[in-house]
Amino acid sequence: MTSSKLPLSIAGSAAYKKQPGTLSIPRDRTSVKWTPLDAGSSVSIAMSHITNFQQTPETAAKVILKFYEKQSETAEAVAHTFTFDSPSNPRGEANAIKDVLTPILAATKAAAAANANDKPKGAGSASAAMAIASAVASKPTSGTARWYDDTQLKIDIELQQSLMKKDPALNRTYMESRRTKPDTISDSQFNTQFWSTRTNVLRAHAVETNQKRGQYNVLSAVKPRQVDGELKMNISAEQVQLIFSQHPLVKRVYDENVPKLNEMDFWSRFFLSRLFKKLKGERINPDTDATDPTFDRYLEASNDMGPSQRLLSSHIPHIIDLQGNEENQGGSKDISGNRQDWTMRPTDVTKIPIVRTLNSLSEKIMAHVAPSDVDPADPIGMDEGTFNSLALRDLQGDEQENRIMLNIKEQSRFFSSEKSEISAEAASYASQVPREVLSELQIDIDPSLMNEDDTGRYELRTAIGVMEDSDSEDDGEAKVAHVGSKASLMDAQKQIFEGIVARRSEMDGSSAELSLSGLSQRSFDRLVLTHATTTEFLHHFWVIFLSGDPDRAGELAKMVETLERAMDRINAVATDAEKERNELIISEKQRIKDLWEQTGKKKRFDPNSVGGGEKVVREMMEPTIKTLQKAAREYRKALVAEGIDTT
Amino acid sequence: MNAVDGSDHYEKEVEGKSSITGPSPSLLVIVIDTNPHAWALLSRTLPLSKAIANILVFINAHLAINSANQVAVVASHSHRAVWLYPRPPPSSEDVDMEDHASNLDNANKYRPFALIEDFLITSLRNLISTTTELDISSTTTTQMAGALTLALSYINKASLSFSDTSSSSKPATNSLETSDIPTGLQSRILVVSVSGDLAHQYIPIMNTTFAAQRLRIPIDILKLAGDTVFLQQASDATKGIYMQLRNPQGLLQYLMMAFLPDQMSRKHLVAPTQEVVDFRAACFCHRRVVDVGFVCSICLSIFCSPPEGAICLTCSTHLALGDYGAKPAVIPRKKKKKRKLNGTDTGSGRGTPVPGE
């Protein structure tokens, strides 16, 4: 384990395929690397790929290390042979490398084994902890690599299919886009393009589908039923496995009794026994619960592997390791002369409350879940959080500020630079003569002209210009509208009410019918789909257009064609909507005509009251149409820039 | 009057909660944009004097609602922001007051109204008469950011002193931080704006906006002329009312109908504010108002085009541009001339600068 505590890179000079070079293990301990002395390709073997390695015996003259590398599960193992040729100490260098490799490989294998049969990894000792650590670390590299690789996601058709099955809207967009794509684009090209903008969705889906259900409390899942006075139950082999792993005590009971007892008998009796109740966390009722000498013997036995065992597998920092401290001080004999510490000791097993049983069960179940927040780079035994919680902060000095320096420059420095943009208003201000502006303003607020009477009183009433009885104002003489005139006040009131009405309708929200603007649900759905596909193609267009990759220019030209067709599709929807509207108008007219013929009542009909039609479609699609035009314009501009006539 | 502004409802609420009686007073700070250029353009339809008269009526109405209501007026002039009312205590001569003593003695006028009217007009005349040609020829805009800052600091001071005086009768509540039923002084800002083009003050204006937002001070905008993106954002962010007047001559109607209610009453009213808000920002490098721009991923500075050498002007972070600006290839495999892209248009979809070494 010294190797993991001193992560130095280890190296020795060795020849590979008769070429001199250096064999080294980098500090991260994930690979073995050989670099040639002269120019040439280096060899790197990932730690997880090494299935085995051999070394020549200590007594042999030649020092040779041989690695067996297996790139994947199915691949053939490849042997790499390194001959250590250091003039001074070939054996020592080889041993150094071997010493580092041995525990790592052992841990990897242990982890692999643990993964394979899903056994609890609490086999104690440091190497198990190491195995867990490496298992956690190795998982992302193997299982999740797929999720991080965009290209992998893009070609995973199975994944895409399952995603589309889950998301019908996406499926529709996909189908519609595929149907309307230009024929010049192959299905696979289209596929790649379509998914290239959705890798995030694919990734989320892949992660979601790859999640596995964890362990559950198996004893409460098994429900024996009493049928005709006979106990019936279904228990699968898997459940038996789970019971054994969650409750080592049951395993012990099983081991000690099953040859004597029929297996079926064992389980049916177990599920009726007090032991079962206890393990499940139920209270034992001494009056009603049947006794069973076979199982009752174990009632007092510990279900745990024992706390000591559990604690061993999870490194207890020395500072809170009471047992360790006690041993250090001479144990119960108390040679230190202090009174015995009797606090925080486990009490009698029988007094352990039910909640403790449940807790320990949960703890066991959770132990099987690989923590998602573990940094593989953390030292084994004590993580950052533990360290921080144990650190005696009172004794430390002030913490150093650990912040990223941000050098903010005076903003006015680049503001004061030349006035680049002058708005229309600023321009019109600038066109005025300052002197005139000023004198005008001075005259305006001159006391003699500001509705002041001779005593210098300011008459607000006249100043605001509101004349209460000025109904005839407009008729009399065609006056110029003045400040506070009736007309202007009316207009102001109108604007305010308009604002209030608009605001209110916004707050109340619009009904579903209104949001369709008179289009039928069918036309609207079609429009939505057209919009989605158009947006999709636009997205592809910009991605290709801005990529600046000449190889994709052909693709780009096809994309432009598609965009042109997208416009046609919008037009088609508009035409159909118009047709729909006309039919509606005709039928409405007919209805009125019938009404007139029957009752002689005439009803006025305004065709404008019928919503929908081409106009509404165009209004709804206006932004999209604009973007289509913009795309076409940009493309043509680029073509012209290349000197190509686009007429 | 309480029934009109909805504060009777508030009164009941407060009585239920604490021993305070009477509706909580409100402080109205009016920022008048006195940019001479803009008023000169507007003088045909609405001269400054008429606008001031209308605003005075509005102020009187505000004061009449509650005897404890307060008002303050700041002028955002072309080269400085000036207090019109209350006048700053030092450095102001009392000569003017002597002149208008007769006005203050007018028995036909409520004295507080007369007082404000007198102060306001006197300070305004002072301001205009002290404005030199040089002052207005050097700039065409208005010091809106400065005026807003003055308004905010005044509000802060006023609410502090208010809670000091009233804390004896009730537990000290910080009106700025209680959320549901703010007690204490209700403050709001009304900006009477005439000039457009405030892009160069983008950052200070947004800073005051965010300060006001945090203090729950609505900024109402009454736009007589011009159009400024940032004042729209200011009123939107602070839940104030934005009105671009269609008919500036009906100013009084707008003031009385839309801007008179205080925050408490507004909760129960539908505000006639403009619903479309222009959320564009001004770039830090050329003060252009941009729809699509570049944002530094470290300090969030906005640029209209990638800064020189891809180094952020504000924080000097070296930014990576991705493959932004790659010239579109429209012809397969052929040598092409260099083509400069229009930076503001094609930036969409890619090229978010990422920090690099």
Side-chain angles (χ1 to χ4, degrees):
Chain A
M1 286 315 293
T2 46
S3 59
S4 68
K5 280 177 190 158
L6 294 168
L8 297 166
S9 71
I10 292 183
S13 67
Y16 176 64
K17 290 185 179 163
K18 304 225 163 115
Q19 261 189 302
T22 315
L23 187 69
S24 61
I25 298 173
R27 300 176 72 146
D28 60 0
R29 302 277 189 268
T30 55
S31 63
V32 180
K33 206 169 176 178
W34 178 82
T35 31
L37 277 184
D38 334 311
S41 57
S42 60
V43 176
S44 175
I45 308 165
M47 225 35 121
S48 52
H49 290 156
I50 298 175
T51 56
N52 204 357
F53 77 101
Q54 294 173 341
Q55 194 190 15
T56 46
E58 293 279 335
T59 48
K62 262 190 172 175
V63 187
I64 296 173
L65 267 184
K66 200 170 182 182
F67 295 98
Y68 293 95
E69 184 195 12
K70 217 175 183 181
Q71 296 278 14
S72 62
E73 293 287 287
T74 49
E76 204 56 33
V78 184
H80 300 271
T81 314
F82 300 96
T83 314
F84 282 81
D85 52 4
S86 161
S88 53
N89 185 15
R91 176 64 65 185
E93 284 177 359
N95 280 344
I97 286 178
K98 193 194 86 177
D99 290 347
V100 172
L101 279 178
T102 316
I104 295 176
L105 286 181
T108 319
K109 275 184 189 163
N115 274 351
N117 50 25
D118 207 29
K119 270 185 186 161
K121 298 156 203 148
S125 92
S127 77
M130 175 81 188
I132 291 166
S134 56
V136 168
S138 67
K139 255 182 204 155
T141 55
S142 56
T144 54
R146 202 160 62 91
W147 308 338
Y148 295 113
D149 189 357
D150 281 2
T151 48
Q152 282 268 5
L153 287 171
K154 265 182 264 176
I155 57 169
D156 191 343
I157 293 186
E158 224 168 281
L159 180 70
Q160 291 159 7
Q161 296 285 359
S162 86
L163 174 62
M164 284 198 287
K165 216 173 275 172
K166 221 186 83 191
D167 187 351
L170 183 67
N171 189 23
R172 254 202 319 279
T173 309
Y174 176 83
M175 286 318 205
E176 180 71 11
S177 312
R178 204 165 100 154
R179 201 172 56 75
T180 53
K181 77 175 167 57
D183 301 329
T184 37
I185 294 181
S186 75
D187 271 3
S188 67
Q189 259 176 322
F190 167 78
N191 231 12
T192 329
Q193 253 174 32
F194 185 84
W195 291 112
S196 65
T197 57
R198 292 186 170 76
T199 43
N200 54 335
V201 190
L202 280 176
R203 184 167 302 131
H205 185 66
V207 172
E208 196 186 316
T209 49
N210 267 287
Q211 276 172 348
K212 264 191 304 191
R213 183 185 275 269
Q215 280 197 13
Y216 55 98
N217 186 355
V218 62
L219 284 188
S220 60
V222 178
K223 293 215 165 55
R225 285 161 301 145
Q226 207 92 27
V227 180
D228 305 334
E230 203 179 317
L231 193 77
K232 297 230 172 184
M233 57 171 181
N234 291 318
I235 180 165
S236 65
E238 202 184 333
Q239 278 172 325
V240 171
Q241 279 288 324
L242 264 179
I243 292 173
F244 284 163
S245 78
Q246 279 176 19
H247 304 281
L249 179 61
V250 181
K251 191 164 192 242
R252 204 183 115 205
V253 180
Y254 182 85
D255 282 345
E256 291 173 11
N257 292 296
V258 159
K260 287 177 271 171
L261 221 68
N262 176 356
E263 173 139 357
M264 220 28 234
D265 245 21
F266 171 81
W267 286 115
S268 53
R269 278 173 64 184
F270 168 69
F271 281 109
L272 286 176
S273 69
R274 293 181 172 199
L275 180 65
F276 170 69
K277 280 202 134 182
K278 181 178 172 255
L279 292 180
K280 204 174 156 188
E282 279 174 20
R283 209 173 285 281
I284 296 168
N285 189 338
D287 302 327
T288 56
D289 288 329
T291 50
D292 186 333
T294 321
F295 290 100
D296 289 352
R297 276 192 286 145
Y298 298 98
L299 266 181
E300 303 299 309
S302 163
N303 183 29
D304 268 321
M305 304 166 278
S308 52
Q309 233 165 332
R310 245 189 320 130
L311 292 181
L312 263 182
S313 61
S314 63
H315 285 246
I316 305 292
H318 289 314
I319 194 164
I320 56 168
D321 186 355
L322 288 182
Q323 197 172 9
N325 285 344
E326 198 159 275
E327 278 165 19
N328 204 21
Q329 287 165 8
S332 53
K333 272 182 248 134
D334 194 9
I335 51 168
S336 63
N338 290 331
R339 208 171 83 181
Q340 277 233 339
D341 176 24
W342 48 269
T343 54
M344 299 185 81
R345 306 272 159 173
T347 44
D348 191 11
V349 191
T350 47
K351 283 184 192 156
I352 292 179
I354 286 162
V355 68
R356 196 84 69 80
T357 320
L358 292 177
N359 275 350
S360 87
L361 186 62
S362 316
E363 217 170 78
K364 265 184 263 176
I365 292 174
M366 287 311 290
H368 293 281
V369 180
S372 57
D373 51 353
V374 166
D375 183 358
D378 277 349
I380 294 164
M382 201 195 300
D383 58 43
E384 195 83 16
T386 320
F387 179 82
N388 284 338
S389 62
L390 290 179
L392 302 173
R393 259 172 244 96
D394 292 357
L395 301 179
Q396 288 169 353
D398 286 338
E399 208 167 305
Q400 280 236 316
E401 293 251 347
N402 183 21
R403 293 188 180 156
I404 296 169
M405 193 70 95
L406 202 60
N407 300 308
I408 301 293
K409 286 188 203 153
E410 186 64 47
Q411 276 159 350
S412 59
R413 191 180 57 77
F414 43 90
F415 267 128
S416 60
S417 60
E418 94 293 350
K419 284 195 171 181
S420 46
E421 301 287 299
I422 292 177
S423 68
E425 273 148 355
S428 64
Y429 296 156
S431 66
Q432 301 181 76
V433 183
R435 191 155 50 85
E436 284 172 15
V437 166
L438 207 57
S439 68
E440 204 174 326
L441 209 57
Q442 273 159 357
I443 291 166
D444 184 31
I445 58 158
D446 189 83
S448 61
L449 295 167
M450 262 180 89
N451 303 88
E452 279 183 24
D453 58 18
D454 25 316
T455 54
R457 283 173 193 164
Y458 184 50
E459 277 302 324
L460 266 185
R461 189 178 306 221
T462 46
I464 58 172
V466 178
M467 281 166 248
E468 274 160 33
D469 37 40
S470 62
D471 286 335
S472 57
E473 174 185 0
D474 298 299
D475 315 327
E477 37 199 303
K479 261 193 196 168
V480 222
H482 64 92
V483 175
S485 70
K486 206 148 196 156
S488 62
L489 293 186
M490 290 291 280
D491 194 31
Q493 182 188 333
K494 227 170 93 197
Q495 194 193 350
I496 294 169
F497 282 149
E498 279 166 18
I500 292 176
V501 167
R503 198 55 199 263
R504 183 174 282 286
S505 68
E506 193 182 303
M507 277 159 56
D508 292 347
S510 50
S511 64
E513 203 168 305
L514 274 175
S515 64
L516 291 181
S517 297
L519 289 176
S520 70
Q521 188 64 46
R522 207 181 56 84
S523 311
F524 185 73
D525 288 348
R526 232 181 104 197
L527 196 60
V528 168
L529 198 57
T530 311
H531 176 260
T533 49
T534 309
T535 312
E536 179 67 33
F537 287 133
L538 273 170
H539 200 140
H540 291 170
F541 169 80
W542 285 112
V543 166
I544 303 173
F545 186 73
L546 295 175
S547 71
D549 183 356
D551 291 342
R552 303 182 74 177
E555 225 177 301
L556 186 61
K558 286 174 206 158
M559 221 57 241
V560 174
E561 269 171 47
T562 322
L563 290 185
E564 276 159 16
R565 249 188 282 160
M567 194 59 228
D568 295 343
R569 276 195 296 278
I570 294 172
N571 287 336
V573 176
T575 321
D576 287 356
E578 187 65 28
K579 216 190 283 167
E580 212 170 64
R581 178 170 177 263
N582 283 334
E583 276 164 16
L584 216 71
I585 290 175
I586 288 167
S587 75
E588 184 70 12
K589 274 185 178 158
Q590 186 63 40
R591 214 173 54 80
I592 287 168
K593 213 172 141 193
D594 290 349
L595 191 77
W596 183 71
E597 275 166 6
Q598 281 166 16
T599 63
K601 270 187 209 158
K602 232 179 182 174
K603 216 175 140 192
R604 280 183 55 85
F605 173 63
D606 180 15
N608 287 334
S609 65
V610 179
E614 187 171 351
K615 197 171 133 261
V616 171
V617 171
R618 294 223 175 274
E619 269 170 17
M620 282 178 166
M621 294 300 274
E622 202 192 343
T624 311
I625 293 172
K626 271 190 185 157
T627 50
L628 281 174
Q629 285 162 350
K630 165 105 189 164
R633 212 164 45 235
E634 284 293 321
Y635 179 71
R636 245 175 282 131
K637 228 159 79 188
L639 275 184
V640 171
E642 306 290 353
I644 292 173
D645 193 18
T646 52
T647 46
Chain B
M1 207 35 143
N2 287 348
V4 171
D5 69 351
S7 51
D8 58 340
H9 168 71
Y10 171 67
E11 192 176 345
K12 273 177 231 144
E13 267 179 1
V14 169
E15 274 169 352
K17 293 221 162 220
S18 66
S19 60
I20 192 170
T21 51
S24 74
S26 56
L27 164 63
L28 171 69
V29 181
I30 302 180
V31 176
I32 302 176
D33 177 0
T34 56
N35 184 359
H37 290 286
W39 280 108
L41 276 184
L42 201 63
S43 61
R44 300 287 159 269
T45 48
L46 179 68
L48 177 61
S49 57
K50 294 282 184 189
I52 294 293
N54 281 319
I55 290 169
L56 274 172
V57 173
F58 175 64
I59 290 173
N60 290 351
H62 170 75
L63 292 177
I65 286 176
N66 185 336
S67 59
N69 274 2
Q70 299 174 35
V71 77
V73 186
V74 194
S76 154
H77 207 51
S78 54
H79 59 293
R80 61 201 175 114
V82 186
W83 279 110
L84 295 183
Y85 176 85
R87 243 185 308 180
S91 76
S92 67
E93 328 87 68
D94 290 10
V95 191
D96 295 328
M97 259 187 67
E98 305 289 327
D99 294 347
H100 290 272
S102 54
N103 191 9
L104 292 176
D105 291 339
N106 188 345
N108 291 325
K109 235 169 213 175
Y110 184 46
R111 193 177 152 87
F113 292 178
L115 212 65
I116 289 170
E117 183 186 301
D118 185 61
F119 271 9
L120 185 60
I121 291 176
T122 316
S123 345
L124 187 66
R125 281 192 187 128
N126 256 342
L127 174 66
I128 301 292
S129 59
T130 52
T131 309
T132 62
E133 269 178 51
L134 187 72
D135 288 335
I136 64 167
S137 57
S138 58
T139 174
T140 57
T141 99
T142 180
Q143 297 302 319
M144 188 53 73
L148 282 174
T149 313
L150 277 184
L152 280 177
S153 48
Y154 182 81
I155 287 174
N156 191 35
K157 208 167 116 186
S159 40
L160 276 181
S161 68
F162 178 83
S163 55
D164 272 354
T165 53
S166 57
S167 59
S168 52
S169 62
K170 64 181 171 91
T173 48
N174 191 351
S175 67
L176 312 177
E177 291 186 5
T178 49
S179 51
D180 285 343
I181 306 162
T183 49
L185 201 57
Q186 306 279 301
S187 311
R188 66 184 199 273
I189 298 175
L190 169 66
V191 179
V192 179
S193 168
V194 286
S195 36
D197 186 38
L198 289 171
H200 70 292
Q201 290 177 36
Y202 173 60
I203 299 171
I205 285 186
M206 287 322 279
N207 282 343
T208 52
T209 300
F210 293 133
Q213 189 182 25
R214 214 178 127 43
L215 299 176
R216 294 171 200 280
I217 297 169
I219 299 180
D220 297 336
I221 309 291
L222 191 150
K223 204 86 183 91
L224 287 169
D227 194 16
T228 27
V229 176
F230 312 123
L231 291 182
Q232 282 186 34
Q233 291 178 21
S235 76
D236 182 68
T238 56
K239 297 199 175 68
I241 296 169
Y242 184 94
M243 284 220 92
Q244 169 103 42
L245 301 203
R246 187 166 58 202
N247 189 341
Q249 295 189 327
L251 174 63
L252 187 63
Q253 186 81 18
Y254 288 106
L255 284 171
M256 297 304 245
M257 277 186 81
F259 296 101
L260 197 53
D262 65 359
Q263 286 108 298
M264 289 314 299
S265 340
R266 279 183 197 182
K267 278 185 193 161
H268 311 285
L269 298 174
V270 178
T273 190
Q274 172 181 316
E275 65 262 60
V276 184
V277 182
D278 192 337
F279 281 116
R280 288 180 302 168
C283 70
F284 287 23
C285 46
H286 302 93
R287 288 165 290 170
R288 287 190 197 116
V289 179
V290 291
D291 328 27
V292 178
F294 297 83
V295 177
C296 170
S297 46
I298 304 300
C299 67
L300 304 184
S301 300
I302 303 162
F303 303 103
C304 58
S305 57
E308 211 175 308
I311 290 167
C312 173
L313 292 178
T314 308
C315 66
S316 307
T317 311
H318 191 93
L319 304 167
L321 275 173
D323 52 354
Y324 166 77
K327 104 193 111 81
V330 284
I331 308 157
R333 299 189 185 286
K334 228 176 103 189
K335 237 191 151 220
K336 273 152 280 177
K337 289 171 289 171
K338 206 158 178 89
R339 181 177 166 275
K340 192 144 173 31
L341 269 177
N342 183 353
T344 54
D345 287 331
T346 47
S348 59
R350 52 179 51 241
T352 300
V354 290
E357 276 309 306

